[in-house]
Amino acid sequence: MNNELILFIIAYLIGSIPTGLLLGKYAGVDIRKSGSGNIGATNAYRTLGRKIGVITLICDCLKGLIPVLIARFIGFNDTWMALIGLAALIGHIFSIFLAFKGGKGVATALGAFLGISPLAVLCALAIFAIVVWKWRYISLGSIIAAIAMPLLVAFIDKSSETTCITLLMAALVVWRHKDNITRLRRGSETKFKA
């Protein structure tokens, strides 16, 4: 088994760690049964408070970032770094520890993208911030930022392979927001309150 495949599997396992669920259980709450039922940072923030929400966000982000940085340190090419990031994202969305269920992948994708193309992430974060500031929907900001990422990577990094993998990652994030999209269309999506 080559190093790339080994790290791909490790990245999947790291991505599978259900941070929000573990932090919630530490606080005595199963966040799968609270709020939106999602294990990610937004639901942790809403149901467990700012501190645990921020810790969940950071940890979920690190799940995507650390494997990509390891791949970069080892000397993997850009395509393999992106694939390692994809593995972490798949782990978060389809966690082996939660019967292949999981979160929506925004923070884990953010971490992976940060390792792959930091400048593209800065641009996407600006887009996210503007959308959330204007309309107060975290989900809408996440969806639009995810859609923007492949375009930003294509423009900034000019790598067709990395762009294709980024497109797949963005598609997974948008797909996981299908219920949010339905609620946005109905006008029943929960607005963000600082």
Side-chain angles (χ1 to χ4, degrees):
M1 190 180 294
N2 61 26
N3 290 338
E4 289 85 356
L5 189 54
I6 291 169
L7 187 53
F8 187 91
I9 293 168
I10 291 170
Y12 169 79
L13 293 173
I14 291 172
S16 289
I17 298 168
T19 312
L21 179 63
L22 294 173
L23 289 169
K25 288 199 172 184
Y26 176 76
V29 177
D30 185 343
I31 65 171
R32 294 173 297 181
K33 298 175 182 174
S34 303
S36 67
N38 187 23
I39 64 167
T42 301
N43 194 40
Y45 182 93
R46 287 179 178 149
T47 60
L48 302 170
R50 182 179 307 218
K51 181 179 178 182
I52 292 180
V54 170
I55 294 170
T56 301
L57 174 67
I58 292 168
C59 290
D60 282 351
C61 186
L62 289 173
K63 292 192 314 188
L65 177 61
I66 290 171
V68 174
L69 292 181
I70 291 170
R72 185 180 294 279
F73 178 78
I74 292 172
F76 289 4
N77 62 36
D78 290 346
T79 302
W80 266 107
M81 284 194 298
L83 285 169
I84 297 302
L86 174 62
L89 176 61
I90 290 171
H92 181 79
I93 295 172
F94 305 105
S95 172
I96 195 170
F97 305 120
L98 298 176
F100 300 102
K101 295 177 182 177
K104 294 181 180 175
V106 175
T108 304
L110 170 64
F113 290 143
L114 192 58
I116 295 164
S117 181
L119 184 55
V121 167
L122 286 176
C123 297
L125 284 174
I127 292 168
F128 171 84
I130 290 167
V131 171
V132 173
W133 173 77
K134 175 73 175 171
W135 289 284
R136 311 301 293 174
Y137 293 115
I138 295 287
S139 57
L140 183 62
S142 300
I143 291 164
I144 292 175
I147 291 169
M149 272 305 298
L151 301 172
L152 293 166
V153 169
F155 179 75
I156 294 168
D157 297 319
K158 299 177 174 59
S159 167
S160 57
E161 293 87 359
T162 304
T163 300
C164 287
I165 297 165
T166 304
L167 181 61
L168 178 56
M169 294 170 74
L172 282 169
V173 170
V174 173
W175 170 73
R176 285 293 288 136
H177 282 80
K178 58 187 182 297
D179 293 337
N180 300 86
I181 292 169
T182 300
R183 289 193 296 271
L184 284 165
R185 292 178 65 185
R186 290 176 180 165
S188 59
E189 179 75 329
T190 304
K191 289 193 174 186
F192 175 71
K193 296 177 183 176

